[in-house]
Amino acid sequence: MIRLRDATTLALTKLRTRKIRLTITIIVSGLLFGGLAGASFAARGVMSSIGSFSKEGFGSRYIAQAYAQTDTSIVNQQSVMDRATAIYKDTIARKKAEAKRLGITYDPATEQPPVQEYDAPNGKQHYLNAEHPAAQQAVKEYQAAHPAAGKDALASLAAPYHPTGIYQSEQIPYTLGGASLQVLKEGKETFAEGPGGKGSSGPPTGVDTFISSWSAMSSTLLEPFTLPGQNLKTGTDGSVPIIVPNSAAEQLLTLKALPASATTAERFARIKEIRAKAPSLRFKVCYRNATSASLVQQAIATSQEIERNKKAKGYQKPSLIYGIPTDACGAVPVTRDIRTKDEKALAAKQLQFDQTFGAEPASQQTIDFRIVGIVPDPNYGGGGPAFGVGQIIQALVTSSLGNGWYMPQDVLAANPLANKLFNEQTTIYSAGTSYYVEFASATQAREFIDKKNCAIDFSKFEANTNPQAVCEKQGKPFGLSPYGSNSLALESAKRNFGKSFRIAGLVVSVIAAVIMMGTVGRMVADSRRETAVFRAIGAKRLDIAQIYIVYTIFLSLLIALFAILAGLALALWANHRWSPEITIQALIAYNAQDLGKTFNLYALYIPDLLLLVGLSVASGLLSSVIPLLRNSRRNPIRDMRDEN
Amino acid sequence: MAQRQTLASAQHFLKLHDNDLEAAINALKEAAAASVRKAGPKVTGPVLVSTDHLSKTYKVGRQHVAALKDVSIQIHEGEFVAFTGPSGSGKSTLLQLIGGLDKPSGGNIVVDGHELTKLSDRKLSVFRGRTIGFVFQFFYLQPFLNLKTNLVVPGIFARTNRKARDTAAEKLAGAVGLADRLAHLPKELSGGQMQRAAIARALLNQPKLILADEPTGNLDSANGQAIIELFEQVRRDFGTTVVVVTHDPKVAAHADREIVLKDGEVAV
């Protein structure tokens, strides 16, 4: 063996020959390894950024969400339908008797039965109309007899995995039996589209999402999402603390929504503005019970009728007219009442009749809220630019409560109206109660979900199959999934990336070795005369091999250098292209308190790069084996003679 | 006249020992070798190179071609010997066998006490590096190394002391008139300069034997003459034995002895 320095001197001369071929080899192999390097820079950057953002929100907490499986087959169950029909018939009978007693007209034909009929290929089928009061009564009785699993059942199910906390949340029921909830914008109630604003096209946005996504949740889960200086206690002014969607806060601050073409900088500035102004902002929500909401609808309809008939000859206005409330969430006023004494007496009897069968007197009330936190909207930016990578990353960085309005559960006790609404479980499909189990480690959370989840493939279910019964029979009464953060997915992503990187590295190395073999083989063949001369002046076979091995290592190092630079360029380009967008996603998703944080798509992870250099050198050495073996068998004299 | 006398004595020897043909042929060859000894410095040193019934056969296709047949010669230390003969006569083959670059098909070679046929490939490399200095017709300098580095290459393979070999390279460059060209690349040198550099390279490890294959074959007559004078000087200054394969009668004329080969045999 010759000295390394001397071998280097001789090997370096070979890098100065066949430059075009050498350059192509470096570029092609370098791009192959560059892909790996780029993947490392980007993936490690994403993981590192997530790690940095994870210190806030739920990022580093391991929480499983649990839904008790409920019996969705109730609507098809004959016993429930029979019970509903019986309740209905009894009510009709009572109504008839009451109408007779009060001396008013009652026509049972105006009533809808709780069991509906429809035609199916196999004959007439029946189902329960879940909105019908009799059906709801029958369902309640059934559910009382077959309660879904609750917090205690979850606690014992999770016990072997040592949970650190079990929490729960309630969501406002889908329907409020005709009642309405409306967030007052600038303190005003709007009626154009009817109370609740549910008539608009497309999915509701901003404050209109309130009625469908108002939740009460354990304070422990809400704390990471409160903005600096805010707390989750009922205010001295009675205001209820609430975390609101970004676009709702924007509307409540009367900021005009940014256009879809808004730049990243503009959107970032908007977020800052919202974060700065929204905390402690008060707003009111108007609740109208079914009777009040109905009177408002009646007032709107009457006003429209009068408007339509303004010029019609002989049109007579109704004798009783309700006006649209002038005060926000005020009572519905009577603007005209020219009814006769008999008409009034009849109306009084009708009211008595209605109230006997459940109708409440008209009532409306406001609840005062106070913004203490912001969460992202389902589609942040209200139709902002679509960016594929950004969306993927957004999915990856999810670390939030979800997209909704969240108030602490413990304020319900001090707020009878809210308490009543949340406990008015009116339909079998209500999202109802969710539970959350927190664990100290990803392993425990992952094992709990993997082993205790009752996975139901609804596509394979018959309509009358009862998921609750199926899951309870398995001893797994809950549907379980990771919640609030991607920490579980991240843990496995980190593990899997390392593994995938090594596998991809090996594949790339073999391909690169084949490419390099061509170059090294050519180099060895081109240098046969030189080899012969070196052998003549004292070089041993091993010395010659050493020179080529050093040459190959240099070639490999050049390839690795090119690869790292190419990968870095790729990652920096991706970072330049997507980082600003993703930073905004991440700032919102993680509810980051430090808005100066950036989400970088590149990070230097030395072990990956060392592995890459190692793989490049290994593929270089692999590529030199065959040419060197072939070369060592050659007769240098013949090579020298052939050259002449 | 002297040649005729020698031949006569050989014929006499043949008559005396007609049963020993081999010995007779050897005697003839020795006589032939002696016959071409030229005037020059008297060579009295011990034998440095000795070949004994040396033969080399190449396989060309299905045929075996004898490049050398039963060659037995001796070269003394300090001698300047020229191998001459027509193309294909085996002179370069003989040079390569003496230099340990190739293995003979038969016979034996001893150079400086080393029986080459018994040396391993590794030991042969060491032998070449320390005992032999090769000079080629086409110089064979590394085009991407400067002159100085080209000169030290034999030292690299012999793992000699770095400083010592650098100093030796500079001295040798001076000796061959290239002291001011050490930093130059071969392409910046003329043919004559390149061959002088190749000779300096051959001398780096202070070999006992210089083997030069057509050293002037690629040079004009002036440069060829200079190279021959350089060999003379090398022999004089370093006491190095010089063996040259040449077609050039002027080169042969400078040698102490000319060994003429024909059809793989030493010509009588």
Side-chain angles (χ1 to χ4, degrees):
Chain A
M1 295 274 278
I2 56 178
R3 292 187 188 93
L4 187 61
R5 190 172 156 186
D6 293 331
T8 303
T9 305
L10 297 176
L12 283 177
T13 64
K14 308 206 171 297
L15 288 175
R16 298 168 68 178
T17 58
R18 293 263 175 187
K19 282 187 182 165
I20 293 175
R21 189 183 186 112
L22 188 74
T23 308
I24 291 172
T25 303
I26 290 172
I27 291 174
V28 175
S29 302
L31 286 177
L32 282 172
F33 282 111
L36 276 183
S40 165
F41 283 124
R44 298 297 178 181
V46 168
M47 289 181 207
S48 150
S49 297
I50 290 173
S52 155
F53 276 88
S54 290
K55 288 170 188 159
E56 304 185 53
F58 286 145
S60 49
R61 291 170 70 175
Y62 308 102
I63 303 170
Q65 185 171 23
Y67 287 105
Q69 296 289 4
T70 53
D71 185 359
T72 50
S73 68
I74 296 176
V75 289
N76 301 98
Q77 285 201 20
Q78 195 56 49
S79 65
V80 181
M81 286 192 273
D82 290 348
R83 174 65 187 141
T85 304
I87 294 168
Y88 171 67
K89 283 181 177 167
D90 176 60
T91 308
I92 298 285
R94 287 194 295 117
K95 280 187 173 179
K96 277 183 185 169
E98 183 66 6
K100 193 174 174 184
R101 189 184 71 78
L102 291 169
I104 59 170
T105 316
Y106 167 67
D107 181 7
T110 58
E111 302 271 1
Q112 287 285 326
V115 176
Q116 304 284 322
E117 198 176 69
Y118 67 98
D119 289 323
N122 51 351
K124 294 234 180 273
Q125 296 289 318
H126 296 90
Y127 73 98
L128 199 63
N129 173 12
E131 301 290 326
H132 196 285
Q136 289 180 357
Q137 178 63 34
V139 165
K140 269 186 187 169
E141 287 174 13
Y142 178 85
Q143 286 179 335
H146 304 87
K151 204 170 179 176
D152 293 343
L154 184 62
S156 58
L157 192 70
Y161 305 92
H162 313 293
T164 54
I166 295 182
Y167 321 109
Q168 76 182 79
S169 75
E170 305 284 344
Q171 189 165 1
I172 195 78
Y174 286 150
T175 61
L176 294 168
S180 72
L181 278 171
Q182 188 187 138
V183 177
L184 303 183
K185 294 178 203 167
E186 297 180 67
K188 288 176 192 158
E189 198 177 1
T190 50
F191 301 106
E193 294 168 347
K198 273 198 159 181
S200 57
S201 60
T205 56
V207 296
D208 294 336
T209 60
F210 183 80
I211 194 164
S212 59
S213 61
W214 180 22
S215 297
M217 207 170 212
S218 295
S219 297
T220 321
L221 294 177
L222 298 183
E223 268 156 14
F225 295 89
T226 53
L227 288 164
Q230 303 300 309
N231 65 65
L232 292 166
K233 302 285 173 211
T234 302
T236 48
D237 56 356
S239 60
V240 175
I242 192 162
I243 293 169
V244 305
N246 193 63
S247 63
E250 192 174 39
Q251 286 181 9
L252 290 167
L253 287 165
T254 66
L255 297 170
K256 196 179 164 196
L258 291 174
S261 58
T263 63
T264 306
E266 286 167 340
R267 297 202 286 139
F268 188 55
R270 175 55 60 88
I271 287 166
K272 279 189 181 171
E273 189 179 359
I274 293 172
R275 287 278 178 90
K277 292 180 178 171
S280 299
L281 182 75
R282 263 73 172 169
F283 68 93
K284 290 176 190 289
V285 171
C286 173
Y287 167 78
R288 287 185 183 276
N289 72 359
T291 310
S292 175
S294 163
L295 289 177
V296 169
Q297 290 299 321
Q298 198 179 324
I300 293 167
T302 308
S303 132
Q304 287 168 344
E305 182 190 307
I306 294 168
E307 184 62 26
R308 271 198 311 276
N309 295 294
K310 212 161 43 180
K311 292 172 185 171
K313 281 186 181 173
Y315 171 72
Q316 288 199 337
K317 290 180 182 175
S319 52
L320 174 65
I321 298 177
Y322 290 101
I324 292 171
T326 46
D327 300 332
C329 215
V332 181
V334 174
T335 55
R336 170 185 159 109
D337 188 357
I338 55 163
R339 291 174 298 175
T340 62
K341 196 177 173 186
D342 286 349
E343 281 175 332
K344 285 183 178 170
L346 187 63
K349 282 180 181 174
Q350 184 65 45
L351 184 65
Q352 189 185 349
F353 176 85
D354 288 345
Q355 289 182 348
T356 304
F357 292 97
E360 293 174 353
S363 78
Q364 47 281 318
Q365 190 182 338
T366 55
I367 307 173
D368 290 350
F369 286 101
R370 181 179 90 247
I371 297 177
V372 295
I374 311 278
V375 288
D377 288 290
N379 288 305
Y380 168 72
F387 37 89
V389 172
Q391 283 166 341
I392 293 166
I393 299 286
Q394 189 189 14
L396 196 65
V397 301
T398 300
S399 171
S400 78
L401 288 166
N403 313 113
W405 304 62
Y406 301 92
M407 67 175 191
Q409 207 162 26
D410 47 21
V411 303
L412 284 175
N415 202 311
L417 173 58
N419 199 27
K420 173 175 170 281
L421 292 175
F422 274 89
N423 289 310
E424 206 167 74
Q425 205 70 15
T426 52
T427 82
I428 56 166
Y429 300 118
S430 168
T433 308
S434 295
Y435 300 98
Y436 307 89
V437 196
E438 184 161 10
F439 298 90
S441 77
T443 316
Q444 290 167 330
R446 173 57 60 200
E447 276 187 16
F448 174 63
I449 292 170
D450 286 349
K451 293 187 179 162
K452 298 297 180 186
N453 175 38
C454 180
I456 289 190
D457 184 355
F458 283 97
S459 64
K460 290 181 185 164
F461 260 56
E462 298 290 331
N464 56 359
T465 307
N466 177 358
Q468 184 178 343
V470 171
C471 291
E472 283 175 358
K473 201 175 169 189
Q474 293 175 16
K476 301 173 178 177
F478 294 93
L480 303 170
S481 57
Y483 176 73
S485 82
N486 53 354
S487 53
L488 289 177
L490 251 187
E491 290 285 332
S492 56
K494 278 184 186 169
R495 264 199 315 275
N496 291 338
F497 179 77
K499 196 176 165 192
S500 308
F501 187 78
R502 286 191 290 276
I503 293 170
L506 284 177
V507 173
V508 166
S509 300
V510 171
I511 299 169
V514 172
I515 296 168
M516 286 164 78
M517 197 184 291
T519 302
V520 176
R522 193 69 254 157
M523 175 56 61
V524 172
D526 283 352
S527 305
R528 277 179 195 151
R529 192 186 65 196
E530 184 193 79
T531 301
V533 173
F534 282 175
R535 294 277 284 137
I537 59 181
K540 295 178 265 301
R541 287 187 203 278
L542 198 60
D543 299 337
I544 301 294
Q546 191 187 352
I547 294 168
Y548 287 113
I549 286 169
V550 173
Y551 159 76
T552 310
I553 290 171
F554 272 112
L555 178 62
S556 307
L557 291 178
L558 282 176
I559 288 170
L561 179 68
F562 181 86
I564 289 169
L565 292 177
L568 188 63
L570 192 71
L572 287 175
W573 174 80
N575 190 58
H576 174 75
R577 172 78 181 73
W578 287 298
S579 171
E581 291 288 351
I582 297 166
T583 296
I584 293 175
Q585 308 285 352
L587 287 173
I588 300 172
Y590 284 107
N591 194 37
Q593 302 201 357
D594 173 11
L595 290 178
K597 266 187 180 172
T598 53
F599 195 102
N600 288 320
L601 285 176
Y602 72 95
L604 197 65
Y605 186 68
I606 301 294
D608 277 355
L609 299 185
L610 287 179
L611 180 67
L612 190 143
V613 173
L615 285 173
S616 177
V617 171
S619 56
L621 294 178
L622 184 69
S623 76
S624 67
V625 170
I626 293 174
L628 286 181
L629 282 177
R630 216 180 267 163
N631 195 48
S632 73
R633 285 200 294 268
R634 294 189 69 86
N635 180 342
I637 298 312
R638 195 162 297 166
D639 286 338
M640 211 182 311
R641 193 183 303 131
D642 290 348
E643 293 284 338
N644 298 334
Chain B
M1 181 65 74
Q3 281 182 359
R4 203 170 292 162
Q5 280 176 352
T6 310
L7 198 59
S9 66
Q11 284 165 342
H12 172 69
F13 184 85
L14 191 59
K15 279 175 190 167
L16 287 175
H17 304 278
D18 57 353
N19 288 332
D20 194 347
L21 190 62
E22 198 175 303
I25 291 168
N26 277 342
L28 275 172
K29 284 177 183 167
E30 274 181 30
S35 72
V36 293
R37 183 162 290 167
K38 303 276 171 61
K42 197 177 178 183
V43 177
T44 54
V47 172
L48 181 68
V49 179
S50 167
T51 71
D52 183 20
H53 304 298
L54 198 62
S55 65
K56 177 69 184 176
T57 308
Y58 292 111
K59 198 177 175 189
V60 180
R62 287 182 179 180
Q63 288 191 324
H64 290 270
V65 176
L68 282 181
K69 299 172 201 164
D70 205 24
V71 174
S72 299
I73 57 166
Q74 287 189 334
I75 297 167
H76 297 263
E77 282 188 15
E79 247 189 320
F80 184 165
V81 176
F83 291 169
T84 61
S87 292
S89 59
K91 51 190 188 299
S92 288
T93 304
L94 180 59
L95 191 83
Q96 285 153 4
L97 290 175
I98 293 169
L101 284 174
D102 212 350
K103 297 261 182 189
S105 307
N108 204 3
I109 322 166
V110 178
V111 179
D112 194 25
H114 300 284
E115 200 171 329
L116 301 193
T117 50
K118 290 186 178 167
L119 293 183
S120 65
D121 185 75
R122 191 177 178 283
K123 284 186 174 167
L124 262 180
S125 298
V126 174
F127 159 77
R128 283 193 298 266
R130 294 192 179 151
T131 310
I132 311 287
F134 277 99
V135 177
F136 307 97
Q137 180 180 357
F138 297 100
F139 330 128
Y140 295 148
L141 297 171
Q142 221 296 336
F144 296 105
L145 294 178
N146 65 23
L147 182 60
K148 185 176 174 185
T149 313
N150 260 298
L151 297 191
V152 299
V153 168
I156 288 175
F157 295 123
R159 288 194 63 115
T160 55
N161 177 278
R162 175 177 285 275
K163 273 190 177 173
R165 77 185 185 215
D166 282 356
T167 312
E170 283 162 18
K171 278 187 182 168
L172 285 167
V176 299
L178 294 171
D180 56 343
R181 297 298 183 116
L182 282 169
H184 289 233
L185 288 174
K187 67 181 179 187
E188 294 161 346
L189 304 177
S190 69
Q193 286 174 323
M194 280 198 268
Q195 194 59 301
R196 278 188 273 149
I199 292 169
R201 177 179 67 183
L203 290 168
L204 188 93
N205 290 339
Q206 295 174 311
K208 285 192 165 177
L209 178 62
I210 291 279
L211 298 175
D213 195 353
E214 299 278 8
T216 61
N218 208 32
L219 300 174
D220 59 32
S221 60
N223 275 310
Q225 183 60 33
I227 291 302
I228 297 309
E229 282 166 11
L230 186 57
F231 280 132
E232 293 267 22
Q233 185 193 335
V234 165
R235 183 173 60 147
R236 192 171 58 244
D237 295 352
F238 301 102
T240 313
T241 307
V242 178
V243 178
V244 178
V245 166
T246 185
H247 281 107
D248 188 344
K250 286 181 195 163
V251 177
H254 274 82
D256 300 333
R257 188 154 58 106
E258 184 180 351
I259 295 176
V260 183
L261 285 129
K262 192 179 176 190
D263 296 332
E265 294 175 294
V266 176
V268 179

